[in-house]
Amino acid sequence: MDNLSTTPSTSQTGAAIGERITGSEALLRGLLNEGVECVFGYPGGNVLYIYDAMVGNPDFKHLLTRHEQGAIHAADGYARSTGKVGVCIATSGPGATNLVTGIATAYMDSVPLVIITGNVPTTVMGSDAFQEADIISITMPITKHSYLVRDAKELPRIIHEAFHLAGTGRRGPVLIDIPKDVSNQQISYTPSDLQINLRGYQGVPAPNRDDIIELLQAVEGSERPVLIAGGGVIYSDASAELLEFAEKTQIPVATTLLGLGGFPSSHELWMGMPGMHGTYTANMAIQQADLIISIGSRFDDRITMKLEGFAPQAKKIAHIDIDPAEIGKNIPTDISCVGDIKAVLALANKTARPAQSAGWISDMHSSKRTYPLRYDNDDSGLKPQFVIEMISETTNGEAIITTDVGQHQMWTAQFYQFKHPRSLLTSGGLGTMGFGFPSAMGAQIGNPDRLVVSINGDGGMQMCAQEMAVCAIHQLPVKIVVINNQVLGMVKQWQELIHEQRFSHIELAGSPDFVKLAEAYGIKGLRAATNEEAVRVWQEALDTPGPVLVEFVVPKEEKVYPMVFSGMTLDQMVLGEFQ
């Protein structure tokens, strides 16, 4: 985006041998050398030298958000949508701690980020100085690695290592904490090819051929196999290999929330999403399967539900994953294939043969016809499912969709037909409200020629609504959708179905007029409360250049079905009014 604030320094390519520069200038050059296109951040006292180094630097692009949480979610959205490492920056103390939720979000979903925080000068560290917080200790459980920089001479190496760590193996966030005096320290800078030599950091092992042979033998002997494809398929850019494997082995595919888009939703072998709000066909197939193959999915509890009753008829369970720590962690595994999913599937595809699954596939097609996802599109108001279907049809499934967390997230997973990987950006593991909108900004910057639609609930939208200023100023053409049911919908659904309608603190009374709020930020705002209005205003939003917010007013009584209650097995689904 050319209209972002551009303040690159003397450029990463023109440094003279032995040139004297500050740690801050070394940081910016290091980021540019790593190919960073945009840094998302918010300045403060202990990163002032870093921000000062940006002045007059035409190569360095920085996007000023309105909250540090907006910055890290934007960096996250950039990373998920592009496959590159996202970068954000914040000052010490409250600036750094405001990043914690975003760091945990990225860690849970294996998103590659490099997070740069300022800290108090080394001379006062440990003295409870103004805006001091031990961010290394605070974030240690939710980072892949952390660096506290005590000497600016180490910055070039640390930056290079941080990007390598974040973007290789099982990806994740890496934090670099830079004290203020270190950022102003003068060093002799010499451009050089930095070598990676990280003791104890193992590369991704090559696929074990014997494990793959065992897997393929299990496939050939199976009559009721199921593939569960997760986010790892997308992170490994292995969608093409998965498609080939499914077609060669003739195995039906269920894609997890983070795996949506990793397998074409229009394919005859696709069964939908499994789990708590999964499709009837996917859940019943897992419960009746004689072979389960998890590919880049960690058997999360929202997929397995009651562990003791998961896939009770499976004679064997296989797990393909880049992280050996995930093998057998939640579900006992009979066959394990550790390695990069793209490499594992590419090797498997060379000799893969079909399972004995013709009857099984026929049963699956029959189940999809008998138990489709459905809802009552009656006169009781604009239904959120209708809105998602409309967005899917009008974008032809080609948009990048970001969501917040809650009912609208599940309706999006159910009713938007994803065609491509990296098309759904959502907080899966942590379930972070406030993620959807700022992540869309990062996705739009990383994909300036793509349509980006951010689907939010009225609760989550208010957590980072201030970032509308950024969309307005830079004319980021994100289409902002607010599914407004005037309530914390998913919490209400649980309280109604599980807690015997004992509703407690779920009404979002006093929420703003979202149309007026958008207009206050300089963004066009539209509203719809009927099907006809929805079709009209959504087309107007698509036809309008720049950012637009569309509020869809929907009934608060609408629920997400199917639903599997906690403690139940996947075949104990509540289908709602269609049961």
Side-chain angles (χ1 to χ4, degrees), residues 76-120:
D76 186 312
Y78 174 91
R80 292 187 200 229
S81 64
T82 64
K84 302 174 183 177
V85 177
V87 183
C88 66
I89 185 170
T91 193
S92 65
T97 57
N98 278 343
L99 297 175
V100 170
T101 296
I103 297 172
T105 300
Y107 183 79
M108 289 287 281
D109 290 348
S110 302
V111 179
L113 296 182
V114 168
I115 302 110
I116 298 160
T117 54
N119 209 329
V120 299

Short mmCIF file of all heavy atoms in Angstrom, two decimals, residues 76-120:
data_model
loop_
_atom_site.label_atom_id
_atom_site.label_comp_id
_atom_site.label_asym_id
_atom_site.label_seq_id
_atom_site.Cartn_x
_atom_site.Cartn_y
_atom_site.Cartn_z
N ASP A 76 -0.77 -10.51 12.41
CA ASP A 76 -1.23 -11.90 12.34
C ASP A 76 -2.00 -12.15 11.05
O ASP A 76 -1.78 -13.13 10.32
CB ASP A 76 -2.10 -12.19 13.56
CG ASP A 76 -2.51 -13.65 13.68
OD1 ASP A 76 -2.97 -14.22 12.68
OD2 ASP A 76 -2.41 -14.22 14.78
N GLY A 77 -2.95 -11.24 10.73
CA GLY A 77 -3.71 -11.39 9.49
C GLY A 77 -2.84 -11.32 8.26
O GLY A 77 -3.06 -12.05 7.28
N TYR A 78 -1.84 -10.45 8.30
CA TYR A 78 -0.88 -10.38 7.20
C TYR A 78 -0.16 -11.72 7.03
O TYR A 78 -0.02 -12.24 5.92
CB TYR A 78 0.13 -9.26 7.49
CG TYR A 78 1.27 -9.18 6.49
CD1 TYR A 78 1.17 -8.39 5.36
CD2 TYR A 78 2.45 -9.90 6.69
CE1 TYR A 78 2.22 -8.32 4.44
CE2 TYR A 78 3.49 -9.85 5.79
CZ TYR A 78 3.37 -9.06 4.67
OH TYR A 78 4.42 -9.00 3.76
N ALA A 79 0.29 -12.29 8.14
CA ALA A 79 1.04 -13.54 8.09
C ALA A 79 0.18 -14.70 7.61
O ALA A 79 0.59 -15.49 6.75
CB ALA A 79 1.63 -13.85 9.47
N ARG A 80 -1.02 -14.83 8.15
CA ARG A 80 -1.89 -15.94 7.76
C ARG A 80 -2.26 -15.88 6.29
O ARG A 80 -2.36 -16.90 5.62
CB ARG A 80 -3.17 -15.93 8.60
CG ARG A 80 -2.96 -16.25 10.07
CD ARG A 80 -4.29 -16.39 10.78
NE ARG A 80 -4.16 -16.23 12.22
CZ ARG A 80 -4.67 -17.06 13.12
NH1 ARG A 80 -5.35 -18.11 12.73
NH2 ARG A 80 -4.52 -16.83 14.42
N SER A 81 -2.50 -14.67 5.79
CA SER A 81 -3.00 -14.53 4.42
C SER A 81 -1.90 -14.62 3.37
O SER A 81 -2.17 -14.96 2.22
CB SER A 81 -3.76 -13.21 4.26
OG SER A 81 -2.89 -12.11 4.45
N THR A 82 -0.66 -14.32 3.76
CA THR A 82 0.44 -14.32 2.79
C THR A 82 1.39 -15.49 2.95
O THR A 82 2.12 -15.83 2.01
CB THR A 82 1.27 -13.03 2.91
OG1 THR A 82 1.89 -12.98 4.22
CG2 THR A 82 0.41 -11.79 2.71
N GLY A 83 1.44 -16.08 4.14
CA GLY A 83 2.43 -17.11 4.42
C GLY A 83 3.78 -16.54 4.83
O GLY A 83 4.71 -17.30 5.12
N LYS A 84 3.90 -15.22 4.89
CA LYS A 84 5.14 -14.57 5.30
C LYS A 84 5.12 -14.31 6.81
O LYS A 84 4.10 -14.48 7.46
CB LYS A 84 5.32 -13.25 4.54
CG LYS A 84 5.33 -13.41 3.02
CD LYS A 84 5.37 -12.06 2.33
CE LYS A 84 5.31 -12.21 0.81
NZ LYS A 84 5.27 -10.88 0.13
N VAL A 85 6.25 -13.88 7.34
CA VAL A 85 6.33 -13.54 8.76
C VAL A 85 5.77 -12.14 8.97
O VAL A 85 6.17 -11.18 8.29
CB VAL A 85 7.80 -13.60 9.25
CG1 VAL A 85 7.88 -13.18 10.71
CG2 VAL A 85 8.37 -15.00 9.05
N GLY A 86 4.83 -12.00 9.88
CA GLY A 86 4.29 -10.70 10.24
C GLY A 86 5.12 -10.05 11.33
O GLY A 86 5.74 -10.74 12.15
N VAL A 87 5.15 -8.72 11.34
CA VAL A 87 5.99 -7.98 12.29
C VAL A 87 5.18 -6.88 12.96
O VAL A 87 4.44 -6.14 12.28
CB VAL A 87 7.22 -7.36 11.60
CG1 VAL A 87 8.11 -6.66 12.62
CG2 VAL A 87 8.01 -8.42 10.84
N CYS A 88 5.32 -6.75 14.28
CA CYS A 88 4.70 -5.64 14.98
C CYS A 88 5.68 -5.10 16.02
O CYS A 88 6.66 -5.77 16.39
CB CYS A 88 3.39 -6.04 15.64
SG CYS A 88 3.55 -7.25 16.97
N ILE A 89 5.40 -3.88 16.49
CA ILE A 89 6.29 -3.22 17.43
C ILE A 89 5.47 -2.45 18.45
O ILE A 89 4.43 -1.88 18.12
CB ILE A 89 7.28 -2.28 16.68
CG1 ILE A 89 8.30 -1.68 17.64
CG2 ILE A 89 6.54 -1.22 15.91
CD1 ILE A 89 9.43 -0.95 16.93
N ALA A 90 5.94 -2.46 19.69
CA ALA A 90 5.28 -1.71 20.76
C ALA A 90 6.32 -1.31 21.79
O ALA A 90 7.40 -1.89 21.88
CB ALA A 90 4.18 -2.54 21.41
N THR A 91 5.96 -0.35 22.60
CA THR A 91 6.87 0.12 23.64
C THR A 91 6.81 -0.81 24.85
O THR A 91 6.13 -1.83 24.85
CB THR A 91 6.54 1.57 24.03
OG1 THR A 91 7.61 2.11 24.82
CG2 THR A 91 5.23 1.65 24.80
N SER A 92 7.52 -0.45 25.88
CA SER A 92 7.62 -1.29 27.08
C SER A 92 6.34 -1.21 27.91
O SER A 92 5.42 -0.46 27.62
CB SER A 92 8.80 -0.83 27.92
OG SER A 92 8.56 0.50 28.41
N GLY A 93 6.31 -1.98 28.99
CA GLY A 93 5.23 -1.89 29.96
C GLY A 93 3.87 -2.17 29.36
O GLY A 93 3.63 -3.24 28.79
N PRO A 94 2.95 -1.20 29.45
CA PRO A 94 1.59 -1.45 28.95
C PRO A 94 1.55 -1.69 27.45
O PRO A 94 0.67 -2.40 26.96
CB PRO A 94 0.84 -0.17 29.33
CG PRO A 94 1.90 0.87 29.48
CD PRO A 94 3.10 0.14 30.01
N GLY A 95 2.47 -1.09 26.70
CA GLY A 95 2.51 -1.35 25.27
C GLY A 95 2.79 -2.81 25.00
O GLY A 95 2.13 -3.45 24.17
N ALA A 96 3.77 -3.36 25.69
CA ALA A 96 4.12 -4.76 25.51
C ALA A 96 3.03 -5.69 26.02
O ALA A 96 2.68 -6.67 25.36
CB ALA A 96 5.46 -5.05 26.21
N THR A 97 2.49 -5.37 27.19
CA THR A 97 1.47 -6.27 27.74
C THR A 97 0.18 -6.24 26.93
O THR A 97 -0.58 -7.21 26.92
CB THR A 97 1.17 -5.94 29.22
OG1 THR A 97 0.75 -4.58 29.33
CG2 THR A 97 2.39 -6.18 30.08
N ASN A 98 -0.08 -5.14 26.22
CA ASN A 98 -1.24 -5.10 25.34
C ASN A 98 -1.10 -6.05 24.14
O ASN A 98 -2.08 -6.30 23.44
CB ASN A 98 -1.48 -3.68 24.82
CG ASN A 98 -2.24 -2.82 25.82
OD1 ASN A 98 -2.86 -3.33 26.75
ND2 ASN A 98 -2.20 -1.52 25.63
N LEU A 99 0.09 -6.55 23.92
CA LEU A 99 0.32 -7.51 22.83
C LEU A 99 0.07 -8.95 23.25
O LEU A 99 0.01 -9.84 22.40
CB LEU A 99 1.77 -7.41 22.34
CG LEU A 99 2.24 -6.09 21.72
CD1 LEU A 99 3.73 -6.17 21.41
CD2 LEU A 99 1.45 -5.77 20.46
N VAL A 100 -0.07 -9.20 24.54
CA VAL A 100 -0.05 -10.58 25.05
C VAL A 100 -1.17 -11.42 24.43
O VAL A 100 -0.94 -12.56 24.01
CB VAL A 100 -0.11 -10.60 26.58
CG1 VAL A 100 -0.34 -12.01 27.10
CG2 VAL A 100 1.18 -10.03 27.18
N THR A 101 -2.37 -10.88 24.37
CA THR A 101 -3.48 -11.65 23.79
C THR A 101 -3.18 -12.02 22.35
O THR A 101 -3.44 -13.16 21.91
CB THR A 101 -4.79 -10.86 23.88
OG1 THR A 101 -5.13 -10.66 25.25
CG2 THR A 101 -5.92 -11.60 23.20
N GLY A 102 -2.62 -11.09 21.59
CA GLY A 102 -2.29 -11.38 20.20
C GLY A 102 -1.17 -12.38 20.06
O GLY A 102 -1.16 -13.19 19.12
N ILE A 103 -0.20 -12.35 20.98
CA ILE A 103 0.88 -13.34 20.95
C ILE A 103 0.31 -14.73 21.20
O ILE A 103 0.64 -15.69 20.50
CB ILE A 103 1.97 -12.99 21.98
CG1 ILE A 103 2.63 -11.66 21.64
CG2 ILE A 103 3.02 -14.10 22.04
CD1 ILE A 103 3.59 -11.15 22.71
N ALA A 104 -0.56 -14.83 22.20
CA ALA A 104 -1.17 -16.13 22.51
C ALA A 104 -2.03 -16.62 21.35
O ALA A 104 -2.07 -17.82 21.05
CB ALA A 104 -2.00 -16.03 23.79
N THR A 105 -2.73 -15.70 20.70
CA THR A 105 -3.54 -16.06 19.54
C THR A 105 -2.68 -16.69 18.46
O THR A 105 -3.02 -17.74 17.89
CB THR A 105 -4.26 -14.82 18.98
OG1 THR A 105 -5.10 -14.26 20.00
CG2 THR A 105 -5.10 -15.17 17.77
N ALA A 106 -1.55 -16.06 18.15
CA ALA A 106 -0.65 -16.57 17.11
C ALA A 106 0.00 -17.88 17.53
O ALA A 106 0.16 -18.79 16.72
CB ALA A 106 0.42 -15.52 16.80
N TYR A 107 0.36 -17.98 18.81
CA TYR A 107 1.02 -19.19 19.29
C TYR A 107 0.10 -20.40 19.18
O TYR A 107 0.51 -21.47 18.72
CB TYR A 107 1.45 -18.99 20.74
CG TYR A 107 2.21 -20.16 21.33
CD1 TYR A 107 3.57 -20.33 21.05
CD2 TYR A 107 1.60 -21.07 22.17
CE1 TYR A 107 4.28 -21.40 21.58
CE2 TYR A 107 2.29 -22.13 22.72
CZ TYR A 107 3.62 -22.30 22.42
OH TYR A 107 4.32 -23.36 22.95
N MET A 108 -1.15 -20.23 19.59
CA MET A 108 -2.10 -21.34 19.55
C MET A 108 -2.36 -21.83 18.13
O MET A 108 -2.62 -23.02 17.90
CB MET A 108 -3.41 -20.93 20.20
CG MET A 108 -3.35 -20.77 21.71
SD MET A 108 -3.26 -22.36 22.56
CE MET A 108 -4.97 -22.88 22.50
N ASP A 109 -2.28 -20.92 17.15
CA ASP A 109 -2.58 -21.27 15.76
C ASP A 109 -1.34 -21.40 14.88
O ASP A 109 -1.45 -21.49 13.66
CB ASP A 109 -3.54 -20.24 15.16
CG ASP A 109 -4.93 -20.31 15.75
OD1 ASP A 109 -5.23 -21.30 16.45
OD2 ASP A 109 -5.74 -19.39 15.51
N SER A 110 -0.15 -21.40 15.49
CA SER A 110 1.11 -21.60 14.76
C SER A 110 1.30 -20.56 13.65
O SER A 110 1.57 -20.90 12.50
CB SER A 110 1.19 -23.02 14.18
OG SER A 110 1.07 -23.98 15.20
N VAL A 111 1.18 -19.29 14.02
CA VAL A 111 1.32 -18.19 13.06
C VAL A 111 2.70 -17.55 13.24
O VAL A 111 3.09 -17.21 14.36
CB VAL A 111 0.22 -17.14 13.27
CG1 VAL A 111 0.39 -15.98 12.30
CG2 VAL A 111 -1.15 -17.78 13.10
N PRO A 112 3.47 -17.37 12.15
CA PRO A 112 4.82 -16.81 12.28
C PRO A 112 4.81 -15.29 12.46
O PRO A 112 4.42 -14.55 11.56
CB PRO A 112 5.48 -17.19 10.94
CG PRO A 112 4.34 -17.26 9.96
CD PRO A 112 3.16 -17.75 10.76
N LEU A 113 5.22 -14.84 13.62
CA LEU A 113 5.33 -13.41 13.91
C LEU A 113 6.68 -13.11 14.53
O LEU A 113 7.24 -13.94 15.26
CB LEU A 113 4.25 -12.96 14.90
CG LEU A 113 2.77 -13.05 14.51
CD1 LEU A 113 1.91 -12.50 15.64
CD2 LEU A 113 2.50 -12.32 13.22
N VAL A 114 7.20 -11.93 14.26
CA VAL A 114 8.32 -11.38 15.03
C VAL A 114 7.79 -10.14 15.74
O VAL A 114 7.31 -9.20 15.10
CB VAL A 114 9.51 -11.03 14.12
CG1 VAL A 114 10.54 -10.20 14.90
CG2 VAL A 114 10.17 -12.30 13.59
N ILE A 115 7.83 -10.18 17.05
CA ILE A 115 7.29 -9.11 17.89
C ILE A 115 8.47 -8.34 18.50
O ILE A 115 9.32 -8.94 19.16
CB ILE A 115 6.39 -9.66 19.01
CG1 ILE A 115 5.24 -10.47 18.40
CG2 ILE A 115 5.88 -8.57 19.91
CD1 ILE A 115 5.32 -11.94 18.65
N ILE A 116 8.50 -7.05 18.27
CA ILE A 116 9.58 -6.21 18.79
C ILE A 116 9.00 -5.32 19.88
O ILE A 116 8.04 -4.59 19.66
CB ILE A 116 10.19 -5.35 17.67
CG1 ILE A 116 10.80 -6.25 16.59
CG2 ILE A 116 11.25 -4.41 18.23
CD1 ILE A 116 10.98 -5.57 15.26
N THR A 117 9.59 -5.40 21.06
CA THR A 117 9.15 -4.55 22.17
C THR A 117 10.33 -3.73 22.67
O THR A 117 11.48 -4.17 22.64
CB THR A 117 8.58 -5.38 23.33
OG1 THR A 117 9.54 -6.36 23.73
CG2 THR A 117 7.30 -6.07 22.93
N GLY A 118 10.02 -2.53 23.12
CA GLY A 118 11.03 -1.74 23.80
C GLY A 118 11.06 -2.13 25.27
O GLY A 118 10.15 -2.75 25.80
N ASN A 119 12.14 -1.75 25.93
CA ASN A 119 12.23 -1.94 27.38
C ASN A 119 12.97 -0.77 27.99
O ASN A 119 13.56 0.05 27.28
CB ASN A 119 12.93 -3.26 27.71
CG ASN A 119 12.44 -3.84 29.04
OD1 ASN A 119 12.06 -3.11 29.95
ND2 ASN A 119 12.43 -5.16 29.15
N VAL A 120 12.92 -0.69 29.30
CA VAL A 120 13.62 0.39 29.98
C VAL A 120 15.12 0.21 29.79
O VAL A 120 15.59 -0.88 29.45
CB VAL A 120 13.26 0.40 31.48
CG1 VAL A 120 11.77 0.63 31.67
CG2 VAL A 120 13.69 -0.91 32.16
#
